[in-house]
Amino acid sequence: MTASAEIRSAASPTTVKTLTSPGGVEAWHVESDVVPLIAVAFTFEGGSTQDPEDRPGVAQMLARLLDEGAGPYNSDAFQERLAARAIELSFNAGNDAIGGSLKTLVKHADEAFELLRLALAEPRFDQDAIERVRAQTVAGLRYQQNDPGVMATRRFFEEGFAGHAYARPTSGTVESVAAITRDDLVTMHRTIIARGRVKVAVVGAIDGERLSVLLDKVFGSLPEAKPLKPTEPVQLQNLGTRHVVDLDVPQSVIRFGLPGIPWRDPGFIPAYVLNHILGGGAFTSRLFQEVREKRGLAYSVGTSLVSYRAASMTWGYTATKNERVTEALDVIFGEMMRLKDEGPSEEELQKAKDYLIGSYALGFDTSTKIAHTLVQIAFEGLGVDYIARRNDLVAAVTSADIGAAAQRIFGGGQMLTVIAGRPTGL
């Protein structure tokens, strides 16, 4: 075991170390004896972008099946072993990755890691489990067909990333999920669940020597990675257009987007501060004040920065009465242009930075939160010292930095808008 780097986290009294097991498995490790728990987070490169073009939903179905039976245990037996030791194990799939988490008491660590190994290396994909998960997925998809928020989001991605893997729904469609075969799942598993493309973070009462042995047992048993299907870089498309998903509802749900700045870009932190001022601050943002507080146009409104492997965007949401959609969109766009042209006041900028710096520690109040944050930072390639640097980066943001970010995001003067409902006056 080697510790190639370590930092002192501003948000935690513990030390984050990089660890490499004898078998070559790398992990970020926080050793803490505060509670007798171990939390593990892991991410494998490759998610729904690896789905067959005509069968979206394979990666997500795979993630839902990994703990539905593995090795000698069928689904019921596997879940019973988890429950008997209060072991929490879950998996998830997104556009760019399949990930998961494990939480266990220290005294059950050997069994917990063995169950994780089985789920990753020897999933059974029993036909009864496949059909059960398929039925649950299809039922959820049918229900979502009447959900204006889901329908608006789905149409937004179809328009914003037309012809690209990001345009396909991660959860698939009723038709595509019905067509997924066991061979599709086995192929996806062999493609993604491999040792060469996993990032791991472990937090809790376990020392590096014991952790190294467990890491080799779990991740060292996986096959070596083979090349993934490439995901070509893409810009948000159809800016300046508005699209309506016709649903007979009294209130329209709105999704809107503009160009973004990826997390790995040096301009991300200024964009992050800018976004907080615009729509990221729950009750203090300009959009909240202008759309809800001053005009009563919506109950909620906000924006966030979205960073994928091959794309980035500034993404926003709100919902309002059908007859007030145009007014709400005008106010939202007007605030964006005002920020681009005038920038925030010095007081506004300082308050945003103070909040983002002061609230950062809230993401580190549990072992699980720390593990997930660390594995995300590792996945993005930001370096093990990012946590220590992050607040200084926020504090250093100037009005000029905000102006540069605003030009990159709002400079084109156009956004993609999707409305699910029956808006009037567009």
Side-chain angles (χ1 to χ4, degrees):
M1 187 270 291
T2 61
S4 58
E6 62 180 46
I7 64 169
R8 180 66 61 179
S9 168
S12 170
T14 53
T15 300
V16 183
K17 298 180 180 179
T18 60
L19 176 153
T20 303
S21 72
V25 180
E26 296 183 1
W28 289 5
H29 178 211
V30 175
E31 184 176 355
S32 172
D33 297 321
V34 176
V35 290
L37 291 171
I38 301 171
V40 184
F42 49 90
T43 298
F44 291 88
E45 183 89 29
S48 64
T49 56
Q50 302 303 305
D51 284 344
E53 290 188 18
D54 60 340
R55 290 188 303 286
V58 177
Q60 186 162 111
M61 197 166 174
L62 168 64
R64 295 188 63 184
L65 281 161
L66 288 175
D67 62 353
E68 291 281 348
Y73 308 113
N74 65 16
S75 180
D76 288 343
F78 192 88
Q79 291 299 320
E80 286 171 4
R81 293 191 73 85
L82 291 172
R85 297 288 187 264
I87 298 166
E88 297 180 13
L89 176 63
S90 63
F91 299 92
N92 58 79
N95 286 295
D96 299 313
I98 290 179
S101 64
L102 172 73
K103 186 165 75 172
T104 180
L105 292 169
V106 172
K107 62 182 179 180
H108 300 317
D110 287 337
E111 182 164 5
F113 276 81
E114 172 60 12
L115 290 172
L116 173 60
R117 184 194 71 79
L118 289 173
L120 291 174
E122 301 179 33
R124 290 168 63 110
F125 301 129
D126 292 331
Q127 199 62 44
D128 62 334
I130 291 174
E131 296 309 323
R132 182 174 60 256
V133 170
R134 188 198 312 276
Q136 293 167 350
T137 303
V138 168
L141 290 169
R142 291 191 188 281
Y143 178 80
Q144 291 172 358
Q145 289 176 347
N146 295 314
D147 185 319
V150 173
M151 299 308 292
T153 299
R154 179 166 293 193
R155 179 66 178 277
F156 180 93
F157 278 82
E158 289 173 355
E159 298 292 342
F161 299 105
H164 192 274
Y166 291 151
R168 301 195 296 264
T170 303
S171 55
T173 65
V174 171
E175 295 75 20
S176 71
V177 171
I180 292 172
T181 67
R182 186 180 188 277
D183 286 344
D184 292 330
L185 297 165
V186 171
T187 299
M188 181 69 72
H189 175 258
R190 290 174 178 168
T191 299
I192 295 179
I193 308 302
R195 62 180 296 177
R197 60 171 57 96
V198 66
K199 302 295 184 183
V200 186
V202 182
V203 178
I206 183 170
D207 61 50
E209 184 174 353
R210 186 183 182 197
L211 177 58
S212 291
V213 173
L214 294 174
L215 288 174
D216 276 344
K217 285 183 177 179
V218 175
F219 299 100
S221 65
L222 299 176
E224 290 292 336
K226 296 180 180 179
L228 292 172
K229 182 170 56 179
T231 304
E232 297 299 324
V234 62
Q235 301 292 323
L236 187 65
Q237 303 169 26
N238 288 318
L239 295 174
T241 65
R242 292 179 176 178
H243 307 267
V244 176
V245 179
D246 183 53
L247 291 175
D248 188 9
V249 290
Q251 181 169 265
S252 290
V253 172
I254 302 170
R255 300 289 185 260
F256 57 91
L258 302 95
I261 297 177
W263 203 356
R264 300 166 295 282
D265 190 295
F268 176 81
I269 290 294
Y272 184 63
V273 178
L274 172 65
N275 180 74
H276 181 82
I277 294 169
L278 173 66
F283 300 106
T284 59
S285 72
R286 288 195 177 190
L287 293 186
F288 187 89
Q289 292 298 316
E290 295 295 329
V291 174
R292 172 175 162 161
E293 293 297 290
K294 292 183 180 180
R295 295 173 177 83
L297 290 168
Y299 180 77
S300 64
V301 59
T303 58
S304 61
L305 298 184
V306 176
S307 179
Y308 297 133
R309 271 290 189 254
S312 61
M313 65 176 172
T314 301
W315 155 269
Y317 65 89
T318 193
T320 190
K321 293 179 180 179
N322 288 327
E323 61 270 23
R324 304 196 75 180
V325 167
T326 300
E327 181 183 0
L329 290 173
D330 287 345
V331 172
I332 290 168
F333 189 72
E335 284 305 307
M336 293 175 178
M337 293 303 101
R338 193 158 71 91
L339 265 176
K340 177 179 73 75
D341 296 337
E342 303 172 9
S345 68
E346 286 298 326
E347 180 183 9
E348 196 175 18
L349 174 56
Q350 191 59 51
K351 284 183 176 180
K353 294 196 294 184
D354 289 345
Y355 175 85
L356 293 172
I357 291 170
S359 64
Y360 192 50
L362 299 177
F364 301 91
D365 59 351
T366 69
S367 297
T368 299
K369 285 184 181 179
I370 295 171
H372 279 283
T373 300
L374 289 176
V375 85
Q376 185 180 21
I377 292 170
F379 183 73
E380 294 292 341
L382 299 175
V384 72
D385 64 338
Y386 179 81
I387 293 174
R389 294 186 292 111
R390 185 268 192 188
N391 279 350
D392 288 339
L393 293 172
V394 172
V397 172
T398 65
S399 294
D401 296 329
I402 294 291
Q407 287 296 328
R408 290 180 66 179
I409 295 171
F410 310 135
Q414 294 181 321
M415 64 182 185
L416 167 63
T417 308
V418 173
I419 308 104
R422 291 189 173 167
T424 60
L426 282 180

